[in-house]
Amino acid sequence: MKRFLKIVFPVVFACFICFLGYLIITKINRKKESAENIKTIPKFSYKDVNGGFFTNQDIKINTPTLFIYFNTECEYCNEETKMIKENKEKFQNVQLIFVSFEKPELIKTFATKHQLTSHVNIHFLYDNKVTFATTFDVNSLPCLVLYDKDQKLIEKIKGQTKIEILLKKLTSQ
């Protein structure tokens, strides 16, 4: 029995180490691929809160774009949105796209609460297939993904950010 364990244990341990190595390499490769895919605005299609669709083809040309991945119950998301509302005139030349995986009714209530439903440059989208996080390689809320007027990635920002910093990054390109 001891001999059997002396053989089996090292083999199982070696297999476990190889499996962990495989998982790590796969994750690194997936991260590299995601980073490459978001250098420009990737293809996407999400429902808007009114039932229509909004895709990458609907992005305004020659306009900086700010994607905001949010949750209606997230305190930081609400604070970020409140700051955007208070400075909405400064964002007139920026396309703001709010994306959430929550139900459209919740998103619409959130947009109405923050008084951002009547602006042509602000869109609220429903990620019904929960693909935004993997498509844009985000894993926190709020997460901001900034693109310049040529649809090239400026930066991905995790967490709440001051409006002045966002505007500087979006308009300095």
Side-chain angles (χ1 to χ4, degrees), residues 95-141:
Q95 185 164 258
L96 301 168
I97 302 173
F98 288 80
V99 181
S100 178
F101 54 83
E102 295 176 289
K103 298 290 181 204
E105 301 80 38
L106 288 173
I107 299 169
K108 198 170 199 172
T109 301
F110 178 86
T112 303
K113 171 186 161 190
H114 290 286
Q115 301 170 344
L116 295 173
T117 56
S118 61
H119 304 281
V120 294
N121 65 319
I122 301 176
H123 306 277
F124 284 86
L125 307 180
Y126 166 50
D127 179 13
N128 62 327
K129 295 181 182 171
V130 193
T131 59
F132 185 86
T134 53
T135 302
F136 286 82
D137 190 32
V138 298
N139 56 11
S140 64
L141 295 170

Side-chain angles (χ1 to χ4, degrees), residues 158-170:
K158 295 178 182 181
Q160 190 177 344
T161 306
K162 292 182 178 181
I163 296 302
E164 299 78 28
I165 294 171
L166 288 176
L167 289 168
K168 184 177 179 184
K169 290 177 184 283
L170 288 165

Side-chain angles (χ1 to χ4, degrees), residues 9 18 22 34 66 93 105 114 126 145 147 169:
F9 183 72
C18 289
Y22 168 77
S34 292
L66 172 59
N93 296 322
E105 301 80 38
H114 290 286
Y126 166 50
V145 187
Y147 287 93
K169 290 177 184 283

Side-chain angles (χ1 to χ4, degrees), residues 17-79:
I17 295 297
C18 289
F19 180 70
L20 284 179
Y22 168 77
L23 289 177
I24 291 168
I25 290 170
T26 302
K27 188 170 184 170
I28 290 169
N29 287 340
R30 202 173 306 135
K31 280 280 190 192
K32 285 181 184 176
E33 185 179 319
S34 292
E36 189 65 33
N37 288 340
I38 64 169
K39 282 185 176 180
T40 58
I41 297 176
K43 289 184 179 181
F44 67 86
S45 178
Y46 301 116
K47 285 188 173 184
D48 67 23
V49 291
N50 299 318
F53 281 92
F54 189 92
T55 72
N56 55 297
Q57 299 297 318
D58 296 311
I59 301 276
K60 291 180 187 172
I61 298 171
N62 295 321
T63 304
T65 303
L66 172 59
F67 287 92
I68 302 152
Y69 192 52
F70 75 100
N71 184 289
T72 60
E73 294 180 9
C74 166
E75 180 182 337
Y76 299 111
C77 302
N78 275 283
E79 190 61 33

